[in-house]
Amino acid sequence: MKILMLTPYLPYPLLSGGQIRTYNLLKKLATKYDVTLFALIKEESERQYLDELQKYCKKVRLFKRSKRPFTLKNIFQTAVSTFPFLVIRNYVPEVTRALKEELAKEKYDLIHAETFYMMPHIPQTKVPVILVEQTIEYLGYDSFAEKIKIPFVKSLLRIDVNKIRRWEEFYWNSCTRLIAMSNEDKEFIGKVVNDPKKIDVVSNGVDVAWFAEKSKKLPLIPTVLSVGTFNWLPNVEAVKFLVQAVWPKIKTKMPQTKLWIVGNAPTQEIFEYQRKDTSITITGGIPDIRDAFAGAHVLVAPVFSGKGTRYKILEAMASGTPVVATKIAVEGLGVEHGVHVLTSNTAEGIADLAVTVLQDTALQKQLALNGRKFIESRYDWKYIAEKLDGIYKDLAHNHA
């Protein structure tokens, strides 16, 4: 079976959730399918990773998008277009031309598009299209817009959020099959699509064996970990809440505790947290995320917006790191409060739970053990890939 996959990023190195997902699925599916990958890149230096992807793809083609999102061209085109900024920023006309040529000369069984904003590249075709929604985009931007205080800026963002919602829902309906990350996402999307039966759940996963290779090396000083790439707004909001609302409460009860913030593309505002508070360390991107989990006593994830499955939660559990999080951060995973993770939606509650974990080594060990067993049984990539494999076969059979 021949698959044509479209991604708005290069699926390597593994710096974001999307990259982790696509790379691991490519590895698992490569033994069964011929995959051609069309991927967007921001910098020419990304071409150095081409060899890694060619191990799993029959063909890889890379297309350059603008390095910086807020260019005058992108802003102007958004202003005069029905498309939102998210689509304009990721749209490369060359991709559409290349897809037309590829589909004309090669017979593909299906097109697999990661994220709705890659869908505008696809020309009119009879080839079935699978759309994978890693998150429900407009909800994340809507939450961000709610917090804006300047009326004029808020109004502009509201216009763009409405555009995102319109086109996201349009592509939910126009694709042949739609993949969501959780049953909660499936139910949400199912309320606005014409055919809810076409929605499947293929959640994110973890390479359990890879995480098991590294043992814990806990520092003497109790350490709270925060993980998340900072080009995703819910992560920025979560860290801000952690630093401003939760962290002072933890320090009051445990003054010697350290906060370690790890994540790709930290902003100047994120670095300011470290400058103002010596108990906070900002690492930014880290070559091996296992080192972060190995060196922390507890992961704290106060996420309040966005949909999808959060890798930070899965990876923490796979690494044997206890998790304290908001309920939305673990939504759809099937975890149980008090057994696999600890949850609270208030700053006071999150701080109290984090302190409890830091002070109770027996609880740390129990949460770590329960979490790892849970991930092994439900979220290893081999199980996730098998679900996607079944959808591929079903779709190809029905459109043969």
Side-chain angles (χ1 to χ4, degrees):
M1 190 185 299
K2 296 182 67 174
I3 314 295
L4 180 53
M5 184 178 288
L6 315 177
T7 62
Y9 46 74
L10 194 67
Y12 197 85
L14 308 183
L15 301 175
S16 69
Q19 290 172 308
I20 294 168
R21 177 185 175 85
T22 306
Y23 177 77
N24 280 282
L25 287 176
L26 282 172
K27 282 177 65 176
K28 297 296 182 184
L29 296 170
T31 57
K32 298 181 180 180
Y33 303 102
D34 286 340
V35 180
T36 292
L37 175 67
F38 278 27
L40 303 185
I41 59 173
K42 291 188 287 185
E43 301 186 51
E44 288 299 321
S45 60
E46 293 180 70
R47 295 184 185 276
Q48 67 182 293
Y49 304 112
L50 199 57
D51 288 347
E52 179 64 26
L53 293 168
Q54 286 174 332
K55 296 176 187 176
Y56 311 111
C57 300
K58 185 177 181 180
K59 188 191 316 182
V60 180
R61 292 195 60 181
L62 308 182
F63 303 86
K64 188 84 177 290
R65 65 173 181 174
S66 59
K67 180 179 179 180
R68 294 180 178 84
F70 296 103
T71 64
L72 287 175
K73 180 181 179 182
N74 287 343
I75 293 170
F76 174 75
Q77 287 185 337
T78 301
V80 299
S81 173
T82 61
F83 280 129
F85 183 81
L86 183 61
V87 170
I88 297 296
R89 188 261 182 279
N90 289 283
Y91 183 72
V92 181
E94 185 188 353
V95 175
T96 300
R97 292 193 292 269
L99 282 172
K100 287 180 179 177
E101 293 173 2
E102 188 70 23
L103 291 170
K105 69 181 181 182
E106 297 279 357
K107 184 182 183 304
Y108 284 91
D109 296 285
L110 62 90
I111 298 170
H112 173 138
E114 289 282 334
T115 74
F116 90 91
Y117 46 90
M118 288 303 289
M119 294 287 284
H121 292 103
I122 302 174
Q124 189 171 359
T125 178
K126 292 182 180 179
V127 180
V129 176
I130 291 178
L131 167 59
V132 178
E133 279 289 69
Q134 297 179 10
T135 184
I136 298 173
E137 295 286 349
Y138 81 82
L139 292 180
Y141 288 93
D142 184 63
S143 176
F144 177 74
E146 260 315 298
K147 296 176 175 65
I148 299 297
K149 304 298 183 185
I150 305 170
F152 175 69
V153 176
K154 189 168 189 170
S155 296
L156 288 178
L157 281 172
R158 279 270 166 240
I159 292 170
D160 203 59
V161 170
N162 288 334
K163 285 183 180 182
I164 295 175
R165 178 172 184 171
R166 173 191 171 190
W167 284 105
E168 198 161 17
E169 292 182 355
F170 172 81
Y171 286 117
W172 290 349
N173 279 301
S174 64
C175 66
T176 315
R177 291 279 281 271
L178 194 151
I179 292 176
M181 298 295 104
S182 68
N183 285 317
E184 284 78 4
D185 285 11
K186 178 180 177 178
E187 290 174 12
F188 185 94
I189 295 171
K191 295 174 183 177
V192 296
V193 297
N194 298 327
D195 181 14
K197 293 180 181 178
K198 74 177 184 179
I199 308 171
D200 298 284
V201 175
V202 181
S203 62
N204 289 320
V206 177
D207 189 336
V208 176
W210 185 72
F211 274 93
E213 289 173 5
K214 286 219 172 183
S215 301
K216 280 281 190 182
K217 295 180 180 178
L218 294 175
L220 294 176
I221 298 174
T223 301
V224 173
L225 178 66
S226 171
V227 172
T229 182
F230 294 108
N231 50 20
W232 176 229
L233 291 175
N235 286 336
V236 177
E237 294 173 354
V239 168
K240 187 174 183 178
F241 182 82
L242 173 59
V243 170
Q244 296 180 354
V246 178
W247 187 236
K249 292 177 172 59
I250 294 176
K251 284 203 302 178
T252 298
K253 297 179 179 181
M254 296 184 67
Q256 300 306 312
T257 308
K258 295 289 186 181
L259 173 59
W260 188 12
I261 299 174
V262 175
N264 196 44
T267 63
Q268 193 57 45
E269 181 184 10
I270 300 295
F271 279 116
E272 280 295 302
Y273 298 147
Q274 176 180 258
R275 189 182 67 81
K276 294 176 180 178
D277 186 341
T278 56
S279 69
I280 299 174
T281 300
I282 312 293
T283 298
I286 189 168
D288 190 337
I289 193 62
R290 294 176 299 179
D291 292 331
F293 292 114
H297 293 80
V298 60
L299 174 82
V300 176
V303 178
F304 287 98
S305 61
K307 287 280 188 179
T309 307
R310 275 118 188 141
Y311 280 101
K312 61 173 73 73
I313 307 297
L314 300 178
E315 292 178 342
M317 294 170 72
S319 68
T321 303
V323 173
V324 173
T326 50
K327 292 178 182 178
I328 193 173
V330 298
E331 182 184 63
L333 291 179
V335 293
E336 185 179 343
H337 168 69
V339 178
H340 309 106
V341 300
L342 299 177
T343 60
S344 174
N345 283 342
T346 68
E348 188 71 44
I350 292 169
D352 287 345
L353 290 173
V355 168
T356 299
V357 172
L358 291 171
Q359 294 178 337
D360 188 339
T361 55
L363 178 60
Q364 285 180 33
K365 291 176 181 177
Q366 193 59 54
L367 288 170
L369 180 63
N370 293 347
R372 181 171 279 167
K373 285 182 176 179
F374 181 83
I375 293 299
E376 286 174 347
S377 65
R378 295 180 61 169
Y379 287 97
D380 190 90
W381 279 117
K382 66 179 180 181
Y383 303 125
I384 309 302
E386 284 171 4
K387 287 194 75 173
L388 185 58
D389 179 38
I391 294 167
Y392 279 0
K393 289 176 178 175
D394 184 54
L395 188 59
H397 174 75
N398 291 332
H399 288 80

